[in-house]
């Protein structure tokens, strides 16, 4: 419902932002960085792929709900509290925008808490929201640049080129990076047994997101020189740091998954010989190719379902061993085991033979 209302409001705002040709041009330019940035997040999400419907929901929330909520809240707030342009840019906008984006992550904890297993999941979902938000915001900025209504010049090709280079080429990661801090806080909270950490980590992540966003926005006040300094000294190192953290979290997931599945195999939940074909990414792909080559699309689907169910079971088992399992862990565990038991007789890994039924 929120996404539908946000989408309708977005269409209305875009319709008012300029002629249809201008809006189409702005949309096409804003879409160019979306693919590469999305591909980077999906690459990070390979060990335990999140449900596509939730990833799409994150994109839609950022593109429609978060952007429109930020516009409405800042517009209404301006009627009651007067900010200078600088204060609005460096303080009000980051506070409101990071709250509107971060709300999706909080709703995800309430609605589908079991889908968030740690820091990497938090970064991935935050990235989806940030990419969606940046896409819609870039359309508005590019249309305003073309129309000359952004206060940066007379408009036209030169203005839109400058805006495109700054927002779509130099900083396509900006909004995903800001929201990643909130996602990291959420991921830390999910994996912690401490109640105080579960409360303080998301708050700290949100405050870090606001600070990074405020520094970024505030740099524009000091002209191009100020922007370069903030970009080189703060934003680029922060981006590299988050990438390094995501890489570390992804590598840690492989170790966690192997250890959890080894323990699960010791309890008779799945064959120990299958673990390598589930944990190692290259082995996963080889197993799927083998299944398709020997049994066709149906065998490949069975292999995918088996691997995904085993992965989900592994991460759920890890959280159970740590004492941070979701409340419905028994029902979820039975579902994963049911899928494993249903698919296993229909698959064979390389070097094995499909059992005759």
């Amino acid at each position: 419902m929120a996404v539908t209302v946000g989408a309708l409001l977005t269409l209305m705002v875009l319709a008012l932002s300029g002629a249809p040709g201008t809006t189409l041009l702005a949309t096409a330019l804003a879409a160019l960085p979306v693919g590469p940035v999305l591909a980077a997040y999906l690459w990070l999400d390979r060990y335990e792929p999140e449900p596509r419907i939730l990833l799409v929901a994150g994109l839609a929330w950022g593109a429609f709900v978060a952007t429109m909520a930020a516009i409405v809240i800042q517009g209404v707030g301006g009627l009651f509290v007067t900010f200078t342009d600088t204060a609005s840019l460096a303080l009000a906008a980051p506070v409101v925008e990071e709250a509107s984006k971060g709300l999706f992550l909080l709703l995800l904890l309430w609605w589908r808490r079991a889908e968030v297993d740690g820091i990497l999941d938090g970064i991935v979902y935050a990235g989806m929201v940030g990419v969606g938000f940046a896409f819609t915001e870039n359309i508005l900025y590019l249309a305003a640049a073309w129309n000359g209504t952004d206060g940066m010049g007379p408009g036209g090709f030169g203005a839109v080129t400058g805006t495109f280079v700054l927002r779509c080429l130099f900083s396509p990661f900006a909004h995903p990076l800001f929201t990643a801090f909130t996602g990291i806080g959420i991921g830390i909270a999910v994996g912690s047994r401490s109640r105080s950490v579960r409360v303080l980590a998301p708050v700290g992540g949100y405050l870090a997101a606001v600070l990074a966003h405020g520094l970024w926005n505030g740099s524009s006040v000091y002209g191009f020189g100020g922007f370069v300094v903030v970009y080189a000294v703060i934003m680029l190192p922060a981006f590299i740091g988050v990438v390094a953290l995501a890489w570390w979290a992804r590598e840690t997931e492989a170790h966690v998954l192997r250890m959890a599945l080894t323990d699960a195999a010791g309890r008779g939940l799945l064959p120990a010989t299958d673990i390598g074909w589930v944990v190692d990414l290259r082995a996963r792909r080889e197993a799927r190719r083998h299944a398709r080559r020997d049994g066709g699309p149906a065998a490949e689907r069975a292999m995918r379902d088996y691997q995904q169910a085993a992965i989900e079971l592994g991460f759920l088992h890890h959280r159970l061993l740590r004492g941070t399992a979701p409340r419905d862990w028994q029902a979820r565990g039975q579902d994963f085991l049911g899928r494993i038991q249903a698919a296993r007789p229909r698959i064979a890994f390389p070097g094995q033979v499909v059992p005759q039924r």
Side-chain angles (χ1 to χ4, degrees), residues 108-339:
L108 193 63
L109 280 184
W110 172 70
W111 179 39
R112 299 287 292 271
R113 184 183 186 88
E115 298 295 348
V116 183
D117 290 311
I119 290 174
L120 187 58
D121 288 353
I123 291 175
V124 168
Y125 281 117
M128 295 297 108
V129 178
V131 169
F133 190 98
F135 172 63
T136 300
E137 188 179 66
N138 283 344
I139 295 174
L140 297 175
Y141 272 94
L142 289 164
W146 181 270
N147 294 328
T149 57
D150 60 351
M152 300 296 289
F157 183 78
V160 81
T161 299
T163 300
F164 173 78
V165 170
L166 180 63
R167 298 186 64 87
C168 299
L169 296 185
F170 270 70
S171 57
F173 60 83
H175 275 291
L177 173 63
F178 305 148
T179 313
F181 290 109
T182 303
I184 291 169
I186 294 290
I188 292 173
V190 166
S192 176
R193 292 186 288 261
S194 169
R195 183 166 185 171
S196 60
V197 171
R198 291 199 298 267
V199 173
L200 294 176
V203 174
Y206 167 72
L207 293 177
V210 171
L211 177 61
H213 198 158
L215 289 171
W216 177 256
N217 283 7
S219 68
S220 64
V221 176
Y222 301 101
F224 186 71
F227 165 78
V228 170
V229 170
V230 171
Y231 187 91
V233 176
I234 299 176
M235 299 306 298
L236 195 56
F239 174 69
I240 294 172
V242 170
V243 169
L245 177 63
W247 178 273
W248 171 84
R250 206 189 76 144
E251 295 303 305
T252 300
E253 281 197 347
H255 175 71
V256 163
L257 184 58
R258 185 177 294 277
M259 296 297 293
L261 286 177
T262 299
D263 186 87
R267 299 169 191 264
L269 301 182
L270 80 168
T273 53
D274 293 357
I275 294 174
W277 299 106
V278 171
V279 175
D280 185 81
L281 292 175
R282 187 173 299 175
R284 279 190 210 174
R285 292 192 296 270
E286 175 57 30
R288 292 171 184 174
R289 285 194 295 267
H290 173 78
R292 184 177 184 86
R293 185 170 55 247
D294 288 3
E300 184 183 19
R301 285 194 298 271
M303 180 65 75
R304 286 181 179 274
D305 191 53
Y306 178 82
Q307 289 177 330
Q308 186 62 34
I311 292 166
E312 297 283 1
L313 178 68
F315 281 105
L316 178 66
H317 194 64
H318 168 69
R319 292 181 65 179
L320 180 62
L321 294 175
R322 279 184 52 83
T324 61
R327 293 179 181 178
D328 62 344
W329 66 268
Q330 289 178 309
R332 295 180 65 83
Q334 287 300 318
D335 176 62
F336 299 147
L337 285 174
R339 288 166 54 190

